[in-house]
Amino acid sequence: MPNIAREELKPEESEQLLLLPGGHPPLWNHMDSIGPVGLRQREGAPGCSQEGLPCPSDSSELPVSPQVLACLQQFKVTETQLRQIQASLLCSMEHALGGQASPASSVRMLPTYVGSTPHGTEQGDFVVLELGATGASLRVLWVTLVGNEGHRMEPWSQEFVIPPEVMLGPGQQLFDFAAHCLSEFLDAIPMDKKGLQLGFSFSFPCHQTGLDRVRQSGHGDSGWKVCSPMKAIGGLIQVFCPQSTLISWTKGFRCSGVEGHDVVQLLRDAIKRQGAYSIDVVAVVNDTVGTMMGCEPGFGPCEVGLVVDTGTNACYMEEARHVAVLDEDRGRVCVSVEWGSFSDDGVLGPVLTTFDHALDQESLNPGAQRFEKMIGGLYLGELVRLVLAHLAQQGVLFDGCTSSALLTQGSILLEHVAEMEDTLCPSSPLAGAARVHAILQDLGLSVGASDAKLVQYVCAAVLTRAARLCAAALAAVLSRLRHSRELQMLQIAVATGGRVFERHPSFLSILQETVMLLAPECDVSFIPSVDGGGRGVAMVTAVAARLAAHRHLLEETLAPFRLNHEQLAVVQAQMREAMVKGLRGEASSLRMLPTYVRATPDGTERGDFLALDLGGTNFRVLLVRVTEGGVKITSQVYSIPEYVAQGSGQQLFDHIVDCIVDFQQKQGLSGQSLPLGFTFSFPCRQLGLDQGILLNWTKGFNASDCEGQDVVCLLREAIGRRQAVELNVVAIVNDTVGTMMSCGYEDSRCEVGLIVGTGTNACYMEELQNVAAVAGDSGHMCINMEWGAFGDDGSLDLLRTCFDANVDQASINPGKQSFEKMISGMYLGEIVRHILLHLTSLGVLFRGQQTQRLQTRDIFKTKFLSEIESDSLALRQVRAILEDLGLPLTSDDALMVLEVCQAVSQRAAQLCGAGVAAVVEKIRENRGLEELTVTVGVDGTLYKLHPHFSSLVAATVRKLAPRCVVTFLQSEDGSGKGAALVTAVACRLAQTACV
Ligand code: 0WK
Ligand code: BGC
């Protein structure tokens, strides 16, 4: 931005200056420059034009001294300078929106987390506390919202003057004062005062953490602050409230111990100290937001809120995707510009007068809020005072006499300027001048004949500049809006609030005209806010209250999914106990099935093997070539249609043999009888390596005539039914065992196999002496725990939720596989769906609209959880998935669905971690080791694809088994390779036995 020198007067301008009508001071025609009006009133303009131009009624000309001219000249801002301020402010806005670190002298662009303008449905009684909008006073309101239907109720309100020592004293004193005013106000209100909800309009620059949006700060932590804990299931339920950290005081406030602190908590503590009423601070709102939200329904919605009161600021509805800190890609969010801090010396320097510098130097915050100090009502009076004192000391005003009042900072207030400037075009100029005289005499000044008029021109010059600068800033916001919405023409309603608007009617007209000049492509309607935004704050509070209530219901619903360390340690201990009982053959929900796998591979295995892998997402046939150089796998995936998985056993095994034959043909293996290892991922009581009695189907399989049968026989019979096929079934292994063996081939410390996929289960190398079912007491045997059934004896009932019960009831094996149904991929999506149905029925989600789609079983796939919880595209993902499901969602819904998914998957991972901790601790104690180093071989889609599952399992194991160093090794080739290796070991052992 080029540096602009203070503008020299163009020749035609200097000629104009010398002659003035009726003793009026030299003024400029604002069309090409900014400052008091030109020499003669524009031809044909009406009497007191709304531009604050002198009225022709007083036709007398007023000689103006060069000093006065030079003085008023300083307040001239040219159109060019205005356009540069507009452009520089726009640039600073986009800079800050992009999240780039911005110098203190730029606008702040603070997201307010107000994501929507009022629906009009908001209802209820709300208390509003306004602090900071009107300088040395605070206001309390009781606002009753009646929604669309009801008849509008006038709010009750009361204003309290804040003593200067409170505005400059300790922060606690200020908030105690506010709490005192609150209760004094409420004492007088004849309404029921239980469960009061308060909206705090705090008109200073603050970093907010949320109003109705939860900041995503990683898994499970919503970033909301817990206000007050209350007893509930499993410890705390949390009440949520916003946080708003004060960046810096402005506008005459300078309380200590507040900047950098959460002003909501300071107010809460003060209300508690006051102890008169229990009031919940539900929302904190900037006054511009209250003004925008208070826009009269008939006019709105307003999408810009503009306040010019003691200070000045604006907010507007920005596209959320443009606000870098939000990670949002849809919808809009209200951004508080905080343009008061704009002071790009490059463009403002030439506009800043000596009086501005003087005012800044004497202010509480020199160097800060430079833009605000040229526009805000707190400063206009002071600017006028400094100019008048200067002109008096130059002897061109008040006969060169000053007064102590005139030399006292703050002696000329906004009201004085309003009165004096407003009389510039009174219906009767004399009356006007008399009032100016009265004000100046009150300041102890002797007012000469032309003094009153000159003073009026000073007021007009200061105010006109303020209005123009404000217009330049507003024009920047409008250009930003038009740009971010890619519009040729922007039609917009701007809500205005603040005493400068109320007291200076010319302010709005000058602002309007200048906006039309600077942003001709914007059709702007200005809507004065009715009650200073109190209703708007109540609207926001109503929205926040509704969302806090929704959030409370969400937390109440999800609380049972948030397991703490004690609960997980109980699961670990219960699993340990069930393991011991199962190994002893006592009643236990853990069958602890011997697998007859006694050793993990030692690398000497060799040969070609066929392997089958049934029970996971896919059925695979594999050719596994084990050579010195390693293992080479060729495989083919085949589907097992539901009607086959739930048909007859014969049909199922015939289908399996068909796939084998197809594979052999494709691999040119037809007629070869390779040793075959069968990964059969269902609970089987093995009587030997190649004998496995199916105990019960799981994971949606239910083929008849199989349970209680030796599945190796069923396979051999199917092979027998197929002519010309010869297969040598050597081993049947569970997928956990296959996974352990496959990883054991890479890492000899791998002694545990874990599957978290469609189903879940684990196996590990147990001391043979502990396995009652198998003779021998030396050496090890791999035990298939079948932990999916853990809790089928009711030991998990304390943790089971009604949603788990719904899923279990709807499954084909109710009462079975309890642990699996809280952890594995076949069920997590269904648990989430049932929770979403519940929250919809509570009106928390989807505006309470139940959709057919969401009532469809298995419509919410578990893979959605992995997609939704992926850190990078969280909300976009959520929205895309839910919209595909035809769900009408708001952005709040998207976040709540994300939290539901997080809670369900977190519980699953923690329960899985508690199980692994029980296993590795058993191995460590089996071996009487102080510390155990062990590897767990893992497979399964959920474990592999979910973005956080594996790290949560590992974290839970670290907490529950601190004396075990556990490495999780993801199996690359699945358990088919493991089955082949088990077969290879069996063949090697058989050969050595023959030798
Ligand atoms: C791949 C293994 C297979 C196991 C599956 C489990 O090769 O034996 O059953 O993982 O994961 P899922 O496919 O059920 O997600
Ligand atoms: C089965 C186990 C299997 C696990 C993982 C469970 O449903 O009962 O045998 O290991 O799923 O696939």
Side-chain angles (χ1 to χ4, degrees):
M1 185 68 64
N3 246 344
I4 309 289
R6 178 161 295 289
E7 292 252 350
E8 293 312 313
L9 276 184
K10 299 191 187 70
E12 67 280 2
E13 286 176 329
S14 52
E15 176 271 326
Q16 271 180 349
L17 282 180
L18 293 177
L19 306 174
L20 279 171
H24 285 274
L27 301 169
W28 289 271
N29 170 334
H30 69 83
M31 295 314 289
D32 64 359
S33 62
I34 294 300
V37 290
L39 176 60
R40 281 183 199 72
Q41 152 114 355
R42 263 174 312 139
E43 311 313 323
C48 292
S49 79
Q50 55 152 312
E51 285 138 355
L53 301 176
C55 59
S57 56
D58 168 2
S59 57
S60 62
E61 298 253 343
L62 183 76
V64 172
S65 70
Q67 294 94 324
V68 173
L69 202 55
C71 214
L72 294 176
Q73 155 103 355
Q74 290 193 49
F75 287 89
K76 177 186 98 170
V77 184
T78 67
E79 179 182 335
T80 318
Q81 287 172 321
L82 273 182
R83 289 190 186 286
Q84 275 142 358
I85 291 169
Q86 176 187 1
S88 167
L89 211 144
L90 182 57
C91 170
S92 168
M93 285 171 68
E94 284 162 354
H95 208 74
L97 276 177
Q100 288 122 33
S102 41
S105 63
S106 93
V107 295
R108 299 182 192 281
M109 303 305 279
L110 302 167
T112 70
Y113 297 87
V114 169
S116 54
T117 44
H119 304 154
T121 58
E122 290 73 18
Q123 299 203 2
D125 292 323
F126 299 94
V127 182
V128 172
L129 172 67
E130 288 181 345
L131 179 58
T134 51
S137 70
L138 67 80
R139 196 162 69 124
V140 187
L141 299 93
W142 180 287
V143 181
T144 302
L145 298 177
V146 289
N148 286 339
E149 321 314 318
H151 172 64
R152 172 196 165 88
M153 303 262 295
E154 275 319 305
W156 273 300
S157 74
Q158 185 174 353
E159 193 143 334
F160 298 84
V161 175
I162 308 172
E165 65 279 12
V166 172
M167 289 174 67
L168 303 170
Q172 179 163 329
Q173 179 184 259
L174 172 69
F175 286 92
D176 284 345
F177 177 80
H180 172 74
C181 298
L182 255 179
S183 56
E184 192 179 317
F185 169 79
L186 292 169
D187 291 349
I189 296 286
M191 300 289 278
D192 164 15
K193 278 157 246 172
K194 283 200 212 47
L196 291 173
Q197 294 182 308
L198 182 139
F200 184 21
S201 171
F202 185 72
S203 313
F204 300 93
C206 290
H207 283 304
Q208 279 193 252
T209 56
L211 173 78
D212 50 359
R213 302 219 169 159
V214 175
R215 189 168 35 86
Q216 278 312 304
S217 52
H219 200 63
D221 159 18
S222 71
W224 278 84
K225 190 177 68 173
V226 179
C227 293
S228 49
M230 285 192 288
K231 209 82 215 78
I233 310 170
L236 298 175
I237 62 168
Q238 303 168 330
V239 181
F240 293 79
C241 62
Q243 272 178 329
S244 194
T245 307
L246 175 62
I247 298 170
S248 63
W249 283 115
T250 62
K251 297 174 287 191
F253 281 77
R254 200 16 124 244
C255 298
S256 55
V258 182
E259 287 176 341
H261 292 268
D262 171 15
V263 293
V264 175
Q265 197 51 47
L266 291 172
L267 179 60
R268 279 175 164 274
D269 299 347
I271 290 170
K272 205 186 266 156
R273 281 193 298 275
Q274 181 72 21
Y277 294 95
S278 106
I279 302 172
D280 198 2
V281 182
V282 175
V284 60
V285 186
N286 183 270
D287 55 349
T288 55
V289 179
T291 299
M292 181 186 77
M293 297 290 265
C295 201
E296 283 309 302
F299 296 98
C302 295
E303 294 194 281
V304 177
L306 170 59
V307 166
V308 187
D309 197 304
T310 47
T312 180
N313 185 20
C315 68
Y316 71 100
M317 297 305 287
E318 173 64 73
E319 306 302 314
R321 69 178 176 280
H322 296 148
V323 184
V325 287
L326 285 183
D327 178 26
E328 270 277 15
D329 73 323
R330 268 313 155 72
R332 291 186 177 142
V333 67
C334 179
V335 170
S336 166
V337 180
E338 286 297 341
W339 62 28
S341 57
F342 173 69
S343 62
D344 167 334
D345 297 347
V347 287
L348 273 187
V351 178
L352 288 165
T353 67
T354 51
F355 307 107
D356 295 308
H357 293 303
L359 180 148
D360 179 54
Q361 282 316 308
E362 68 181 20
S363 75
L364 286 173
N365 53 353
Q369 301 296 105
R370 297 308 304 269
F371 195 58
E372 175 163 82
K373 287 169 181 165
M374 300 164 87
I375 302 172
L378 183 65
Y379 306 102
L380 299 181
E382 186 57 10
L383 279 170
V384 168
R385 181 187 73 79
L386 290 164
V387 174
L388 300 184
H390 168 76
L391 293 173
Q393 284 150 352
Q394 292 224 317
V396 292
L397 199 60
F398 315 129
D399 285 338
C401 305
T402 61
S403 68
S404 61
L406 183 61
L407 299 177
T408 307
Q409 182 191 9
S411 60
I412 295 184
L413 303 174
L414 173 64
E415 294 67 25
H416 295 137
V417 177
E419 274 207 70
M420 297 194 282
E421 182 260 335
D422 193 19
T423 58
L424 190 59
C425 331
S427 50
S428 58
L430 287 179
R435 285 233 296 291
V436 175
H437 272 266
I439 292 170
L440 295 172
Q441 274 150 6
D442 287 354
L443 290 165
L445 296 162
S446 55
V447 185
S450 64
D451 287 345
K453 193 58 72 188
L454 279 179
V455 169
Q456 291 165 318
Y457 284 142
V458 170
C459 293
V462 168
L463 185 93
T464 305
R465 181 189 70 165
R468 302 276 183 262
L469 290 172
C470 184
L474 182 58
V477 169
L478 297 173
S479 314
R480 168 75 210 150
L481 263 167
R482 192 172 65 79
H483 170 68
S484 76
R485 296 182 190 181
E486 293 129 17
L487 296 170
Q488 283 308 312
M489 207 34 213
L490 174 76
Q491 191 156 32
I492 192 116
V494 173
T496 59
R499 287 167 306 155
V500 174
F501 279 112
E502 289 150 22
R503 306 253 171 88
H504 288 269
S506 57
F507 187 94
L508 178 58
S509 53
I510 298 168
L511 177 103
Q512 252 170 327
E513 199 161 295
T514 314
V515 166
M516 272 165 32
L517 174 72
L518 300 175
E521 57 302 305
C522 299
D523 170 7
V524 186
S525 43
F526 289 89
I527 319 290
S529 85
V530 260
D531 59 4
R535 181 175 296 278
V537 176
M539 289 280 189
V540 176
T541 310
V543 175
R546 184 182 66 224
L547 287 148
H550 285 180
R551 172 148 292 288
H552 178 62
L553 288 168
L554 176 73
E555 271 314 314
E556 213 166 50
T557 304
L558 296 182
F561 288 86
R562 308 209 192 278
L563 305 179
N564 57 34
H565 182 77
E566 291 66 38
Q567 290 169 304
L568 291 168
V570 169
V571 171
Q572 178 190 6
Q574 286 174 326
M575 182 166 284
R576 174 60 181 273
E577 193 189 331
M579 288 169 73
V580 172
K581 284 191 179 153
L583 286 170
R584 290 198 193 123
E586 296 163 15
S588 165
S589 60
L590 290 180
R591 293 196 179 90
M592 305 303 282
L593 303 164
T595 65
Y596 295 86
V597 171
R598 300 169 185 273
T600 47
D602 64 4
T604 61
E605 298 74 19
R606 296 284 181 275
D608 288 358
F609 304 92
L610 267 184
L612 307 177
D613 186 350
L614 176 72
T617 314
N618 308 306
F619 168 52
R620 291 193 311 157
V621 180
L622 308 88
L623 170 63
V624 181
R625 180 156 293 157
V626 186
T627 63
E628 184 145 5
V631 177
K632 188 170 168 309
I633 295 177
T634 316
S635 71
Q636 169 103 23
V637 168
Y638 294 87
S639 73
I640 305 281
E642 189 166 284
Y643 73 88
V644 171
Q646 298 185 3
S648 72
Q650 177 161 333
Q651 188 184 19
L652 171 63
F653 283 91
D654 287 348
H655 176 77
I656 290 169
V657 173
D658 292 348
C659 299
I660 298 170
V661 171
D662 174 76
F663 181 79
Q664 285 183 314
Q665 283 159 355
K666 285 190 177 131
Q667 301 302 325
L669 299 168
S670 300
Q672 288 191 39
S673 171
L674 292 177
L676 181 144
F678 186 8
T679 301
F680 183 75
S681 312
F682 302 93
C684 288
R685 182 171 309 290
Q686 289 197 242
L687 309 173
L689 204 53
D690 62 349
Q691 282 179 289
I693 309 301
L694 173 60
L695 298 171
N696 59 275
W697 284 117
T698 65
K699 293 176 290 188
F701 276 72
N702 202 13
S704 58
D705 313 323
C706 296
E707 290 179 341
Q709 303 300 314
D710 177 349
V711 283
V712 175
C713 290
L714 295 176
L715 179 58
R716 286 185 179 138
E717 285 159 13
I719 295 165
R721 283 192 292 274
R722 187 68 184 257
Q723 302 312 317
V725 175
E726 263 210 63
L727 287 172
N728 168 16
V729 183
V730 170
I732 178 167
V733 295
N734 183 264
D735 53 355
T736 54
V737 179
T739 299
M740 182 189 77
M741 295 297 273
S742 160
C743 294
Y745 196 76
E746 318 297 331
D747 173 344
S748 60
R749 286 176 308 190
C750 180
E751 297 191 80
V752 178
L754 172 66
I755 295 286
V756 190
T758 318
T760 183
N761 187 15
C763 73
Y764 71 102
M765 297 306 285
E766 177 56 81
E767 313 298 320
L768 194 55
Q769 70 194 4
N770 295 339
V771 184
V774 179
D777 52 14
S778 66
H780 299 92
M781 174 164 291
C782 177
I783 297 297
N784 166 11
M785 298 177 63
E786 285 299 333
W787 78 7
F790 177 57
D792 285 6
D793 57 359
S795 55
L796 282 177
D797 287 2
L798 266 187
L799 298 183
R800 283 183 81 221
T801 67
C802 56
F803 310 110
D804 297 311
N806 297 349
V807 170
D808 181 46
Q809 286 319 311
S811 71
I812 61 169
N813 55 350
K816 295 267 188 311
Q817 301 296 100
S818 311
F819 198 53
E820 179 161 88
K821 285 172 182 166
M822 296 167 90
I823 293 176
S824 75
M826 186 159 190
Y827 306 101
L828 295 191
E830 271 297 279
I831 296 172
V832 168
R833 185 176 69 84
H834 281 280
I835 296 173
L836 300 185
L837 285 172
H838 170 70
L839 291 171
T840 309
S841 67
L842 294 175
V844 170
L845 276 177
F846 316 128
R847 299 210 177 143
Q849 289 159 33
Q850 293 285 16
T851 62
Q852 191 43 48
R853 296 292 300 282
L854 194 56
Q855 292 173 11
T856 314
R857 201 165 150 209
D858 291 333
I859 191 102
F860 199 97
K861 304 283 178 234
T862 296
K863 70 179 171 74
F864 292 169
L865 278 80
S866 302
E867 292 159 7
I868 284 170
E869 292 180 61
S870 66
D871 288 345
S872 53
L873 299 178
L875 286 184
R876 289 193 184 85
Q877 212 69 351
V878 181
R879 226 183 306 283
I881 289 164
L882 295 174
E883 269 152 9
D884 290 354
L885 290 176
L887 293 167
L889 81 152
T890 66
S891 49
D892 308 304
D893 292 332
L895 272 165
M896 291 204 188
V897 170
L898 171 61
E899 284 198 57
V900 170
C901 295
Q902 286 172 336
V904 171
S905 63
Q906 176 165 319
R907 179 188 71 164
Q910 288 178 317
L911 287 172
C912 182
V916 173
V919 173
V920 293
E921 269 293 288
K922 174 87 169 65
I923 296 173
R924 182 184 66 77
E925 288 171 24
N926 278 353
R927 300 178 190 171
L929 298 171
E930 261 313 299
E931 188 173 273
L932 171 76
T933 301
V934 68
T935 296
V936 174
V938 194
D939 209 334
T941 325
L942 178 59
Y943 186 95
K944 283 185 166 176
L945 298 186
H946 189 283
H948 304 293
F949 200 96
S950 54
S951 56
L952 279 165
V953 171
T956 308
V957 172
R958 271 196 302 280
K959 284 201 197 98
L960 293 174
R963 297 162 68 179
C964 299
V965 179
V966 180
T967 305
F968 289 86
L969 178 60
Q970 292 202 14
S971 149
E972 292 317 320
D973 312 302
S975 58
K977 169 181 159 189
L981 289 167
V982 169
T983 309
V985 171
C987 297
R988 172 169 55 79
L989 292 178
Q991 271 154 13
T992 44
C994 303
V995 177

